Amino acid sequence: MPSSVYSERTVPAALRRARSHLMNAGALPPDLIPAELQRSWQRSWDAGLQPCGRTPGAPHASGAQLARALEQQRELVAYARPVMEFLLEQTCETDSMVVLAGTDGMLLHALGDPRFMGRAERVALRPGATWSEQYRGTNAIGTALTDDRALVVHAQEHFLERNGFLTCAAAPIHAPDGRLLGVLDVSGDHRGYHRHTLGLVRSAVRIIEHRLFDTRHDPRHWSGLRLRLHAQPEGLGTVTEGLLAVREDGVLVGASVTALQLLGFQWSGLGSLRIGEVLVEPLQQLLEWCQRPTSVARVVHTLGGHTLWAKAETGRVLQAPFSAPQAPNDTVAVQVDALVRIDTGDAVLHSAIARARKVVDKPIPLLLQGESGVGKEVFARALHQSGPRQHKAFVAVNCAALPESLIEAELFGYQSGAFTGARREGAPGRIREADGGTLFLDEIGDMPLSLQARLLRVLQDREVTPLGGAKPVAVDFALVCATHRHLLREIQEGRFREDLYYRLNGLTLCLPALRERTDFDHLLDSQLQKLMPHRPLTIATELRQRLRAYPWPGNVRQLASALRTACALLDAHENMVDWHHLPDDLALDLRAVTMEAPPPQAELPTDLRTLSRQSIARALQSCAGNHSEAARMLGIGRSTLYRKLREMGIAH
C-alpha cells in the first residue's frame, strides 16, 4: 500500500497560515499544505474539533473494557508484542514509545522510555485511550486507519496544537484476507524526528503480517496452496517475500502486501480472482511441484510480463490426489476428518477445534457456548464423526423446542401404558438411543428445573429409568451440550442447577459469531459449493464486500438461508450471485451497511442474552414488525422467535 510522510515536512509558517484560515473560514485554501494533510485537517474540522484549547472528552476504556478488547484481539496482540519489543530496542534512548492500536483507534499495548511515556500520558497517549481521527484530529494512528496507509505526522502537522510536541510514524496491519486489524505506531519527541522511523515501522508490520499469514494458512491444518514469491531466489524465506494463499478451486483467498505489489492486484480481488488471472502457470502445475521430494525455487511468470521466483507448499488435503502410492509399511497420511473440514482458517475456531480434539476420546463432557446460529450442532456432529464413536448414533435433542410436558418422555423414554396417549410398545427415549454414541443436548439452558435433577442422576449413575418402569437401564454415551445462555447467571437467578452445571462443564468452548470470524470468504464460498456442487458460482465484488461487513445477527444459519434463496433465484445461464438474487429485506440491510471501520469492540455487549435481544430487535425493525420475515432473516423458526419474545416480555 502507498505510504506518505506528508512530503518533505511542511513548513511551520504554512501550517500556521492554514490553521488560521481554517478557524476563520471553516475551509482550507488549496495548495497551502499537502493534499493528504489538507483532507485530514478538513475531516477533523468537520468532526467538530477545534485546533486550539482543550478538546471534548474522547472515549477512554475502563480496565474491564480494555481487558475485553485485548481478549478479542488476542491473536494480533500476541504476534505484535515481541515485534514491538524488538522495535523498541531499535529506538531506545530516543524519547519515544511503540504503540499498538485496534481498528477503532483504541490503544491496546504500549512500550517505551518511561520519561517520554509520562509526557505522552498528559495527552492520553496510553492504553485504553481512543486515538481515532474523529476524536483526536489528524494523528498518525487515527489518520493511518482512515487513509489505510503508512504515514508520518510530525509536530504541528497534528490538527490539535496540544499534540504538536509529538512526531509519529504509523503503518496499518492487515489480515491475510485484506481486513484492517489495527495500526503499529512509534511516537516520540518532535525534536528527535528521523526519516528512517517510518521504514522501521513498516518492516515491523510486515513481520506481524507474515506471522498472521503463516498461522492462518499453515499447511498442517489449512488445505489450500501457499506460494512464496520474490524477484530473486535468495529473497524467498525472508521477510521481503510475497505470500499468496490459493484455495482448492484456484481462488486467491490470502496475500501479503508484497504479493499484491508483485502480482499487480488489490485486496478487493481476494475471494474472486483465480490463480490463472495473475500467473501464467496453471494450478495443476503448481500442485505437481509440491509433490517433489524437496521444495525448490522455480520460475513463474505473471500476466503482467514479469518473472518471479516461487516456492509452492500445500496442505494435506490437496496432497492426497497427487501423492504417489505408498508401500504397505509407509506411514499413513493424517486422515482428513470432519473437524478438519470445518476448520476454515479462523484462529478462534481453530483453537476450539484443537482443544476439542484432545478430549474426543475421553469421558469429558463438552459445553458449547455461542450465539444462536453459530453452528454449535455442526461442531458437535463434526466432533462425533471424528471420534471413536463415529460408527454409533449421534442423537440431537433441542431442549427449547420440546413442550415441557413431553420432554421427560422424549429424553428418558417410557413403558407401555405409562401415560395417556403413550404408544402401546413404549419408547426407549433419546438417551437410550444414544447408547454407544453421542448425545447432543442443544439449548440445555432452556431445560425445565424439574428435569435437570433427573438428568443429573443419569449422568452420575450412567443409567436411565423409563417413565412407568422400575428397572434402570445402563447407558454409555459421550455428552455434548450447547447453549446461548450465560449459565452462571442462570444459576444466580435460580433457573439452572449449579451441580448440573459442573457435571456438564468438563470443557467449555466458546464458538465465535460470524461477524467475528476471519474466514468469512472461505465460509461463504464453501456454502455456495455445498448448495450448488456441480455449478461453479462467484459473488459480485461489491456484494461480497457488503456481505463481509454485515453484522449477521442470525450468524451462519442466516447466511446459509440467504444463500439458499439466492441460488434458487439464479437463472440457468447465471454463474454470479448479485443483488437481485437476494431476499429484499437482506438487500436493504446490506445497502445500509457502512463500509467504515467497525465501532469500538470494547463497547459491544458480551452477554449472550443482550446480543440475542439486540439481534431480534434489529430484525423486527428492518422487517416492519413482520414476525415471519424477521424469523426468516434470523434463520430461526417462528415458534423460536415467539418464545424469545415471551422471554423478553414483548407481546406478539
Side-chain angles (χ1 to χ4, degrees), residues 533-568:
H534 305 298
R535 185 175 172 184
L537 297 178
T538 59
I539 296 180
T541 301
E542 182 195 359
L543 177 56
R544 180 182 288 272
Q545 293 171 349
R546 296 282 175 171
L547 290 170
R548 192 186 297 128
Y550 185 60
W552 295 107
N555 290 294
V556 180
R557 185 185 292 121
Q558 183 191 3
L559 173 64
S561 176
L563 293 179
R564 193 176 299 112
T565 301
C567 290

mmCIF file of all heavy atoms in Angstrom, residues 533-568:
data_model
loop_
_atom_site.group_PDB
_atom_site.id
_atom_site.type_symbol
_atom_site.label_atom_id
_atom_site.label_comp_id
_atom_site.label_asym_id
_atom_site.label_seq_id
_atom_site.Cartn_x
_atom_site.Cartn_y
_atom_site.Cartn_z
ATOM 1 N N PRO A 533 -23.089 -27.937 -5.947
ATOM 2 C CA PRO A 533 -21.794 -28.623 -6.086
ATOM 3 C C PRO A 533 -21.330 -28.800 -7.521
ATOM 4 O O PRO A 533 -20.134 -28.910 -7.777
ATOM 5 C CB PRO A 533 -22.056 -29.979 -5.402
ATOM 6 C CG PRO A 533 -23.533 -30.165 -5.455
ATOM 7 C CD PRO A 533 -24.121 -28.793 -5.358
ATOM 8 N N HIS A 534 -22.245 -28.827 -8.475
ATOM 9 C CA HIS A 534 -21.862 -29.071 -9.869
ATOM 10 C C HIS A 534 -21.924 -27.800 -10.718
ATOM 11 O O HIS A 534 -21.947 -27.878 -11.949
ATOM 12 C CB HIS A 534 -22.773 -30.145 -10.477
ATOM 13 C CG HIS A 534 -22.792 -31.419 -9.691
ATOM 14 N ND1 HIS A 534 -21.677 -32.191 -9.494
ATOM 15 C CD2 HIS A 534 -23.810 -32.046 -9.017
ATOM 16 C CE1 HIS A 534 -21.986 -33.245 -8.756
ATOM 17 N NE2 HIS A 534 -23.271 -33.177 -8.447
ATOM 18 N N ARG A 535 -21.960 -26.658 -10.049
ATOM 19 C CA ARG A 535 -22.080 -25.401 -10.778
ATOM 20 C C ARG A 535 -21.206 -24.349 -10.112
ATOM 21 O O ARG A 535 -21.560 -23.826 -9.064
ATOM 22 C CB ARG A 535 -23.537 -24.957 -10.781
ATOM 23 C CG ARG A 535 -23.835 -23.717 -11.605
ATOM 24 C CD ARG A 535 -25.339 -23.508 -11.595
ATOM 25 N NE ARG A 535 -25.758 -22.261 -12.177
ATOM 26 C CZ ARG A 535 -27.014 -21.845 -12.205
ATOM 27 N NH1 ARG A 535 -27.972 -22.595 -11.670
ATOM 28 N NH2 ARG A 535 -27.345 -20.696 -12.757
ATOM 29 N N PRO A 536 -20.044 -24.030 -10.667
ATOM 30 C CA PRO A 536 -19.154 -23.052 -10.026
ATOM 31 C C PRO A 536 -19.785 -21.659 -9.997
ATOM 32 O O PRO A 536 -20.143 -21.106 -11.039
ATOM 33 C CB PRO A 536 -17.898 -23.077 -10.906
ATOM 34 C CG PRO A 536 -18.364 -23.618 -12.224
ATOM 35 C CD PRO A 536 -19.494 -24.549 -11.926
ATOM 36 N N LEU A 537 -19.934 -21.120 -8.793
ATOM 37 C CA LEU A 537 -20.562 -19.814 -8.624
ATOM 38 C C LEU A 537 -19.587 -18.826 -8.021
ATOM 39 O O LEU A 537 -18.717 -19.188 -7.224
ATOM 40 C CB LEU A 537 -21.792 -19.927 -7.711
ATOM 41 C CG LEU A 537 -22.959 -20.797 -8.187
ATOM 42 C CD1 LEU A 537 -24.055 -20.811 -7.137
ATOM 43 C CD2 LEU A 537 -23.507 -20.285 -9.511
ATOM 44 N N THR A 538 -19.739 -17.575 -8.402
ATOM 45 C CA THR A 538 -18.986 -16.486 -7.783
ATOM 46 C C THR A 538 -19.980 -15.466 -7.249
ATOM 47 O O THR A 538 -21.181 -15.527 -7.520
ATOM 48 C CB THR A 538 -18.038 -15.816 -8.789
ATOM 49 O OG1 THR A 538 -18.810 -15.305 -9.895
ATOM 50 C CG2 THR A 538 -17.009 -16.798 -9.307
ATOM 51 N N ILE A 539 -19.466 -14.515 -6.497
ATOM 52 C CA ILE A 539 -20.296 -13.452 -5.927
ATOM 53 C C ILE A 539 -19.738 -12.117 -6.391
ATOM 54 O O ILE A 539 -18.515 -11.903 -6.373
ATOM 55 C CB ILE A 539 -20.318 -13.527 -4.386
ATOM 56 C CG1 ILE A 539 -20.970 -14.836 -3.942
ATOM 57 C CG2 ILE A 539 -21.067 -12.355 -3.781
ATOM 58 C CD1 ILE A 539 -21.053 -15.013 -2.447
ATOM 59 N N ALA A 540 -20.611 -11.224 -6.820
ATOM 60 C CA ALA A 540 -20.189 -9.908 -7.295
ATOM 61 C C ALA A 540 -19.335 -9.223 -6.234
ATOM 62 O O ALA A 540 -19.611 -9.333 -5.030
ATOM 63 C CB ALA A 540 -21.410 -9.053 -7.627
ATOM 64 N N THR A 541 -18.287 -8.523 -6.677
ATOM 65 C CA THR A 541 -17.300 -7.963 -5.762
ATOM 66 C C THR A 541 -17.927 -7.030 -4.728
ATOM 67 O O THR A 541 -17.665 -7.150 -3.518
ATOM 68 C CB THR A 541 -16.224 -7.203 -6.553
ATOM 69 O OG1 THR A 541 -15.605 -8.100 -7.471
ATOM 70 C CG2 THR A 541 -15.168 -6.636 -5.613
ATOM 71 N N GLU A 542 -18.759 -6.089 -5.175
ATOM 72 C CA GLU A 542 -19.359 -5.146 -4.225
ATOM 73 C C GLU A 542 -20.253 -5.875 -3.230
ATOM 74 O O GLU A 542 -20.239 -5.583 -2.026
ATOM 75 C CB GLU A 542 -20.181 -4.079 -4.962
ATOM 76 C CG GLU A 542 -20.787 -3.050 -4.003
ATOM 77 C CD GLU A 542 -21.881 -2.209 -4.653
ATOM 78 O OE1 GLU A 542 -22.167 -2.405 -5.847
ATOM 79 O OE2 GLU A 542 -22.459 -1.371 -3.941
ATOM 80 N N LEU A 543 -21.018 -6.845 -3.719
ATOM 81 C CA LEU A 543 -21.904 -7.605 -2.839
ATOM 82 C C LEU A 543 -21.086 -8.385 -1.817
ATOM 83 O O LEU A 543 -21.443 -8.448 -0.637
ATOM 84 C CB LEU A 543 -22.773 -8.551 -3.662
ATOM 85 C CG LEU A 543 -23.710 -9.468 -2.862
ATOM 86 C CD1 LEU A 543 -24.626 -8.651 -1.961
ATOM 87 C CD2 LEU A 543 -24.518 -10.355 -3.797
ATOM 88 N N ARG A 544 -19.986 -8.982 -2.249
ATOM 89 C CA ARG A 544 -19.129 -9.727 -1.322
ATOM 90 C C ARG A 544 -18.614 -8.814 -0.208
ATOM 91 O O ARG A 544 -18.577 -9.204 0.966
ATOM 92 C CB ARG A 544 -17.953 -10.358 -2.069
ATOM 93 C CG ARG A 544 -17.012 -11.153 -1.174
ATOM 94 C CD ARG A 544 -15.857 -11.707 -1.988
ATOM 95 N NE ARG A 544 -16.281 -12.786 -2.854
ATOM 96 C CZ ARG A 544 -16.320 -14.066 -2.478
ATOM 97 N NH1 ARG A 544 -15.968 -14.410 -1.252
ATOM 98 N NH2 ARG A 544 -16.700 -14.987 -3.328
ATOM 99 N N GLN A 545 -18.218 -7.594 -0.571
ATOM 100 C CA GLN A 545 -17.740 -6.658 0.442
ATOM 101 C C GLN A 545 -18.835 -6.307 1.445
ATOM 102 O O GLN A 545 -18.586 -6.213 2.653
ATOM 103 C CB GLN A 545 -17.208 -5.395 -0.236
ATOM 104 C CG GLN A 545 -15.951 -5.626 -1.061
ATOM 105 C CD GLN A 545 -15.570 -4.410 -1.897
ATOM 106 O OE1 GLN A 545 -16.347 -3.467 -2.029
ATOM 107 N NE2 GLN A 545 -14.378 -4.434 -2.463
ATOM 108 N N ARG A 546 -20.052 -6.129 0.952
ATOM 109 C CA ARG A 546 -21.173 -5.820 1.843
ATOM 110 C C ARG A 546 -21.507 -7.012 2.736
ATOM 111 O O ARG A 546 -21.809 -6.837 3.921
ATOM 112 C CB ARG A 546 -22.400 -5.424 1.020
ATOM 113 C CG ARG A 546 -22.218 -4.145 0.219
ATOM 114 C CD ARG A 546 -22.346 -2.925 1.101
ATOM 115 N NE ARG A 546 -22.054 -1.712 0.356
ATOM 116 C CZ ARG A 546 -22.262 -0.486 0.829
ATOM 117 N NH1 ARG A 546 -22.768 -0.342 2.033
ATOM 118 N NH2 ARG A 546 -21.947 0.573 0.112
ATOM 119 N N LEU A 547 -21.492 -8.190 2.155
ATOM 120 C CA LEU A 547 -21.751 -9.388 2.948
ATOM 121 C C LEU A 547 -20.721 -9.531 4.062
ATOM 122 O O LEU A 547 -21.028 -9.916 5.190
ATOM 123 C CB LEU A 547 -21.723 -10.629 2.055
ATOM 124 C CG LEU A 547 -22.879 -10.786 1.055
ATOM 125 C CD1 LEU A 547 -22.578 -11.911 0.080
ATOM 126 C CD2 LEU A 547 -24.195 -11.053 1.766
ATOM 127 N N ARG A 548 -19.471 -9.207 3.739
ATOM 128 C CA ARG A 548 -18.401 -9.320 4.714
ATOM 129 C C ARG A 548 -18.572 -8.318 5.852
ATOM 130 O O ARG A 548 -18.229 -8.592 7.004
ATOM 131 C CB ARG A 548 -17.058 -9.111 4.019
ATOM 132 C CG ARG A 548 -15.845 -9.480 4.862
ATOM 133 C CD ARG A 548 -14.568 -9.113 4.149
ATOM 134 N NE ARG A 548 -14.392 -9.849 2.914
ATOM 135 C CZ ARG A 548 -14.134 -9.288 1.738
ATOM 136 N NH1 ARG A 548 -14.053 -7.983 1.639
ATOM 137 N NH2 ARG A 548 -13.976 -10.036 0.668
ATOM 138 N N ALA A 549 -19.109 -7.136 5.544
ATOM 139 C CA ALA A 549 -19.247 -6.081 6.554
ATOM 140 C C ALA A 549 -20.533 -6.187 7.365
ATOM 141 O O ALA A 549 -20.663 -5.527 8.391
ATOM 142 C CB ALA A 549 -19.189 -4.708 5.864
ATOM 143 N N TYR A 550 -21.474 -7.013 6.925
ATOM 144 C CA TYR A 550 -22.780 -7.123 7.586
ATOM 145 C C TYR A 550 -22.631 -7.827 8.943
ATOM 146 O O TYR A 550 -21.830 -8.749 9.075
ATOM 147 C CB TYR A 550 -23.722 -7.920 6.682
ATOM 148 C CG TYR A 550 -25.145 -8.027 7.170
ATOM 149 C CD1 TYR A 550 -25.919 -6.893 7.380
ATOM 150 C CD2 TYR A 550 -25.718 -9.267 7.415
ATOM 151 C CE1 TYR A 550 -27.230 -6.994 7.815
ATOM 152 C CE2 TYR A 550 -27.030 -9.383 7.846
ATOM 153 C CZ TYR A 550 -27.782 -8.241 8.044
ATOM 154 O OH TYR A 550 -29.074 -8.338 8.485
ATOM 155 N N PRO A 551 -23.368 -7.411 9.983
ATOM 156 C CA PRO A 551 -23.189 -7.999 11.320
ATOM 157 C C PRO A 551 -23.764 -9.396 11.502
ATOM 158 O O PRO A 551 -23.479 -10.053 12.482
ATOM 159 C CB PRO A 551 -23.901 -7.001 12.246
ATOM 160 C CG PRO A 551 -24.920 -6.332 11.384
ATOM 161 C CD PRO A 551 -24.274 -6.225 10.018
ATOM 162 N N TRP A 552 -24.637 -9.865 10.618
ATOM 163 C CA TRP A 552 -25.198 -11.216 10.653
ATOM 164 C C TRP A 552 -25.755 -11.585 12.015
ATOM 165 O O TRP A 552 -25.188 -12.423 12.725
ATOM 166 C CB TRP A 552 -24.143 -12.257 10.215
ATOM 167 C CG TRP A 552 -23.740 -12.078 8.790
ATOM 168 C CD1 TRP A 552 -22.574 -11.576 8.320
ATOM 169 C CD2 TRP A 552 -24.539 -12.374 7.622
ATOM 170 N NE1 TRP A 552 -22.576 -11.537 6.942
ATOM 171 C CE2 TRP A 552 -23.775 -12.010 6.489
ATOM 172 C CE3 TRP A 552 -25.822 -12.887 7.447
ATOM 173 C CZ2 TRP A 552 -24.249 -12.158 5.202
ATOM 174 C CZ3 TRP A 552 -26.299 -13.031 6.153
ATOM 175 C CH2 TRP A 552 -25.508 -12.682 5.047
ATOM 176 N N PRO A 553 -26.876 -10.996 12.398
ATOM 177 C CA PRO A 553 -27.478 -11.338 13.697
ATOM 178 C C PRO A 553 -27.889 -12.794 13.803
ATOM 179 O O PRO A 553 -27.943 -13.342 14.902
ATOM 180 C CB PRO A 553 -28.698 -10.405 13.775
ATOM 181 C CG PRO A 553 -28.991 -10.017 12.356
ATOM 182 C CD PRO A 553 -27.660 -9.967 11.674
ATOM 183 N N GLY A 554 -28.201 -13.428 12.670
ATOM 184 C CA GLY A 554 -28.560 -14.851 12.687
ATOM 185 C C GLY A 554 -27.390 -15.776 12.432
ATOM 186 O O GLY A 554 -27.562 -16.990 12.317
ATOM 187 N N ASN A 555 -26.177 -15.190 12.294
ATOM 188 C CA ASN A 555 -24.938 -15.938 12.144
ATOM 189 C C ASN A 555 -24.950 -16.873 10.933
ATOM 190 O O ASN A 555 -25.557 -16.552 9.919
ATOM 191 C CB ASN A 555 -24.617 -16.673 13.448
ATOM 192 C CG ASN A 555 -24.224 -15.690 14.542
ATOM 193 O OD1 ASN A 555 -23.200 -15.038 14.436
ATOM 194 N ND2 ASN A 555 -25.046 -15.567 15.567
ATOM 195 N N VAL A 556 -24.268 -18.028 11.036
ATOM 196 C CA VAL A 556 -24.087 -18.907 9.881
ATOM 197 C C VAL A 556 -25.439 -19.421 9.374
ATOM 198 O O VAL A 556 -25.638 -19.597 8.172
ATOM 199 C CB VAL A 556 -23.166 -20.089 10.240
ATOM 200 C CG1 VAL A 556 -22.983 -21.007 9.036
ATOM 201 C CG2 VAL A 556 -21.813 -19.574 10.713
ATOM 202 N N ARG A 557 -26.394 -19.626 10.292
ATOM 203 C CA ARG A 557 -27.713 -20.091 9.873
ATOM 204 C C ARG A 557 -28.374 -19.060 8.959
ATOM 205 O O ARG A 557 -28.982 -19.401 7.942
ATOM 206 C CB ARG A 557 -28.590 -20.341 11.099
ATOM 207 C CG ARG A 557 -29.950 -20.945 10.741
ATOM 208 C CD ARG A 557 -30.839 -21.070 11.968
ATOM 209 N NE ARG A 557 -30.327 -22.057 12.903
ATOM 210 C CZ ARG A 557 -29.995 -21.786 14.158
ATOM 211 N NH1 ARG A 557 -30.111 -20.555 14.627
ATOM 212 N NH2 ARG A 557 -29.555 -22.728 14.956
ATOM 213 N N GLN A 558 -28.248 -17.785 9.295
ATOM 214 C CA GLN A 558 -28.833 -16.731 8.464
ATOM 215 C C GLN A 558 -28.121 -16.656 7.119
ATOM 216 O O GLN A 558 -28.756 -16.488 6.073
ATOM 217 C CB GLN A 558 -28.755 -15.387 9.188
ATOM 218 C CG GLN A 558 -29.401 -14.243 8.414
ATOM 219 C CD GLN A 558 -29.090 -12.885 9.006
ATOM 220 O OE1 GLN A 558 -28.335 -12.781 9.963
ATOM 221 N NE2 GLN A 558 -29.652 -11.848 8.431
ATOM 222 N N LEU A 559 -26.794 -16.782 7.132
ATOM 223 C CA LEU A 559 -26.030 -16.754 5.882
ATOM 224 C C LEU A 559 -26.450 -17.902 4.970
ATOM 225 O O LEU A 559 -26.684 -17.700 3.772
ATOM 226 C CB LEU A 559 -24.535 -16.841 6.188
ATOM 227 C CG LEU A 559 -23.597 -16.987 4.982
ATOM 228 C CD1 LEU A 559 -23.669 -15.758 4.091
ATOM 229 C CD2 LEU A 559 -22.164 -17.244 5.436
ATOM 230 N N ALA A 560 -26.563 -19.105 5.524
ATOM 231 C CA ALA A 560 -26.951 -20.261 4.718
ATOM 232 C C ALA A 560 -28.350 -20.079 4.140
ATOM 233 O O ALA A 560 -28.609 -20.423 2.977
ATOM 234 C CB ALA A 560 -26.882 -21.535 5.558
ATOM 235 N N SER A 561 -29.262 -19.514 4.931
ATOM 236 C CA SER A 561 -30.621 -19.287 4.449
ATOM 237 C C SER A 561 -30.637 -18.288 3.299
ATOM 238 O O SER A 561 -31.329 -18.478 2.292
ATOM 239 C CB SER A 561 -31.503 -18.787 5.601
ATOM 240 O OG SER A 561 -32.797 -18.475 5.155
ATOM 241 N N ALA A 562 -29.842 -17.211 3.437
ATOM 242 C CA ALA A 562 -29.790 -16.204 2.383
ATOM 243 C C ALA A 562 -29.200 -16.771 1.092
ATOM 244 O O ALA A 562 -29.699 -16.502 -0.010
ATOM 245 C CB ALA A 562 -28.968 -15.001 2.860
ATOM 246 N N LEU A 563 -28.144 -17.575 1.205
ATOM 247 C CA LEU A 563 -27.521 -18.153 0.015
ATOM 248 C C LEU A 563 -28.425 -19.194 -0.636
ATOM 249 O O LEU A 563 -28.438 -19.330 -1.862
ATOM 250 C CB LEU A 563 -26.171 -18.781 0.389
ATOM 251 C CG LEU A 563 -25.078 -17.796 0.822
ATOM 252 C CD1 LEU A 563 -23.810 -18.543 1.186
ATOM 253 C CD2 LEU A 563 -24.796 -16.770 -0.266
ATOM 254 N N ARG A 564 -29.191 -19.918 0.173
ATOM 255 C CA ARG A 564 -30.127 -20.897 -0.384
ATOM 256 C C ARG A 564 -31.168 -20.193 -1.260
ATOM 257 O O ARG A 564 -31.495 -20.652 -2.359
ATOM 258 C CB ARG A 564 -30.798 -21.653 0.759
ATOM 259 C CG ARG A 564 -31.546 -22.907 0.304
ATOM 260 C CD ARG A 564 -32.112 -23.668 1.492
ATOM 261 N NE ARG A 564 -31.060 -24.107 2.390
ATOM 262 C CZ ARG A 564 -30.879 -23.632 3.626
ATOM 263 N NH1 ARG A 564 -31.691 -22.702 4.094
ATOM 264 N NH2 ARG A 564 -29.914 -24.081 4.378
ATOM 265 N N THR A 565 -31.659 -19.059 -0.763
ATOM 266 C CA THR A 565 -32.618 -18.284 -1.546
ATOM 267 C C THR A 565 -31.968 -17.740 -2.817
ATOM 268 O O THR A 565 -32.559 -17.782 -3.902
ATOM 269 C CB THR A 565 -33.167 -17.116 -0.703
ATOM 270 O OG1 THR A 565 -33.791 -17.640 0.466
ATOM 271 C CG2 THR A 565 -34.164 -16.290 -1.490
ATOM 272 N N ALA A 566 -30.744 -17.220 -2.684
ATOM 273 C CA ALA A 566 -30.042 -16.655 -3.842
ATOM 274 C C ALA A 566 -29.830 -17.711 -4.926
ATOM 275 O O ALA A 566 -30.022 -17.439 -6.119
ATOM 276 C CB ALA A 566 -28.712 -16.058 -3.399
ATOM 277 N N CYS A 567 -29.449 -18.914 -4.529
ATOM 278 C CA CYS A 567 -29.233 -19.985 -5.509
ATOM 279 C C CYS A 567 -30.539 -20.371 -6.202
ATOM 280 O O CYS A 567 -30.559 -20.682 -7.398
ATOM 281 C CB CYS A 567 -28.614 -21.196 -4.824
ATOM 282 S SG CYS A 567 -26.896 -20.942 -4.312
ATOM 283 N N ALA A 568 -31.638 -20.343 -5.448
ATOM 284 C CA ALA A 568 -32.935 -20.680 -6.041
ATOM 285 C C ALA A 568 -33.362 -19.642 -7.076
ATOM 286 O O ALA A 568 -34.089 -19.957 -8.024
ATOM 287 C CB ALA A 568 -33.990 -20.798 -4.945
#
